[in-house]
Amino acid sequence: MGVSPRIRFQQVSLSSFQQRSVQMTEPSNSLAPPGSVASIKATIHAFLQERLQPKLEKLKPEEDEQRQTLLQDYLPANWIPDAARRVGQIQQVTHALKFTHPDARGSSLSVAGNPAVGEEIVGTHTVAQRLVPDVVGNAAALDVYKFLRLSVGGKTILDLAATADPALAAAFSDDADLAQTLMAAFASLTEAKGQPASNKLAKQVYWPIEGQSYHLLAPLFPTSLVHGLWKRIREDRFSDEAKAARDARRNGLAHPHGYCEYPNVAIQNFGGTKPQNISQLNSERYGENYLLPSLPPNWKSAEVRAPLAVNSVFDRIFGSRPRVRELVRILKEFLVSVEHAGTNIRIRDKRAELAGLIRDEAFQYAAELRQLEPGWSALPECLLNGAEQCWLDPERAEQDTDFASLRQRGDWQDEICRRFGNWLNARLTTPCTPMGAVEAAHWRDVLDDEMRMMRDEVADDE
């Protein structure tokens, strides 16, 4: 029966490591080929010296015994087996439990997300190619994780350990069995610790299934996904490039690129003054988690103004609305594109669809004007023709009997349709697509169905 690498490591004590370990040679020069045994040894040596020197500098001259102890502890032959023992205290993850509650004891996971949900849903799978793993567990053992993240020849020590790289084995020890045991211990960093388990301090959802049973769902914090978002927002807010772009805008100067703003961002903090107790990435994020606003849109309509000093709303006011301009442009380009295509149901349906959208905008505009105080069309400044006054200010009829009579006469709807058709005809006319009386009649018909409903409403009021 095979024995897992983790179990094999637990059967070997730290004392046996030290008894069988061999003294590592001094690192070779920087000209060693990347990924070679000499290059790996040099990288490890530099890492240990970087951690050792601050500790030595804190010692007093008379503390020679402590100095000798530190020098022995940070020999690669001693430090690496100790790190292999302590790696069991930490776990590499993408989804961590401690963000829910720092005292929760349960499972954290290392998964690349679920690409089957598709690109329309943002999740860990969205950043699968740029996923940065996190590590949880005993904060005192995080130096082991930093050791495993050392890059040698484009790969980390952890990558090399997971593939049982021969050069790493040779760098660890001349004893092949010991080297394999060390690499197996380090490679277990990504393995779950024990059976999947939740905790009373963790979030839990009991999901009912058949047979009066249930699944226990345990939501975990997607720390790797959050880290990608945090880095992006930090770069957009505080990078030198973003600051330069903002300065250029403030000074009215041109700039090669723009910048991003994130209004109404909230910051959630984890871990208080010791974010490293939650996870390694949480420490790198200073315990911060940006929360983007997840709220329904707060609609702010532009102020509605009465169409004064114009004879008709179609040319200067309605035709200038951004949505109307866009729809007219699309319809015009479509008509030009099918100029020599004859006519078929696809062309007719598309033309009817676009004309219908423009018609809807006309009625939307009329609805907005009807929110004004009734009677605005009676102001001296209002020069609108009588038909459009009847269409856009209908409640004036309740306070003006002459206007009510004009409106009830009913011929103003035909005039509105005619004006709409002529206006749209003029907007669509190009040298390639001249619009004539036939087209104008068609555009009038587009509006006529809706106007017929108005006729019925007026008739009911009589």
Side-chain angles (χ1 to χ4, degrees), residues 41-57:
K41 285 184 176 181
T43 301
I44 295 175
H45 178 80
F47 171 79
L48 295 181
Q49 288 300 309
E50 183 182 353
R51 304 189 68 79
L52 171 63
Q53 289 306 317
K55 297 179 184 296
L56 294 177
E57 293 171 359

Side-chain angles (χ1 to χ4, degrees), residues 102 139 269-279 282-283 286-288:
N269 288 101
F270 294 105
T273 59
K274 297 181 178 178
Q276 68 274 14
N277 287 345
I278 301 298
S279 78
N282 188 58
S283 178
Y286 315 111
E288 296 176 347

Side-chain angles (χ1 to χ4, degrees), residues 225-244 246 259-262 265-269 281-292:
L225 173 64
V226 167
H227 195 70
L229 177 64
W230 180 87
K231 289 180 65 178
R232 172 64 182 273
I233 294 178
R234 290 278 298 187
E235 183 175 345
D236 288 341
R237 297 180 72 183
F238 306 120
S239 68
D240 292 339
E241 292 79 6
K243 292 178 180 178
R246 286 193 184 89
Y259 58 88
C260 296
E261 296 285 8
Y262 298 87
V265 170
I267 299 179
Q268 182 182 26
N269 288 101
L281 290 185
N282 188 58
S283 178
E284 295 179 17
R285 296 192 292 265
Y286 315 111
E288 296 176 347
N289 176 37
Y290 291 130
L291 298 177
L292 301 177

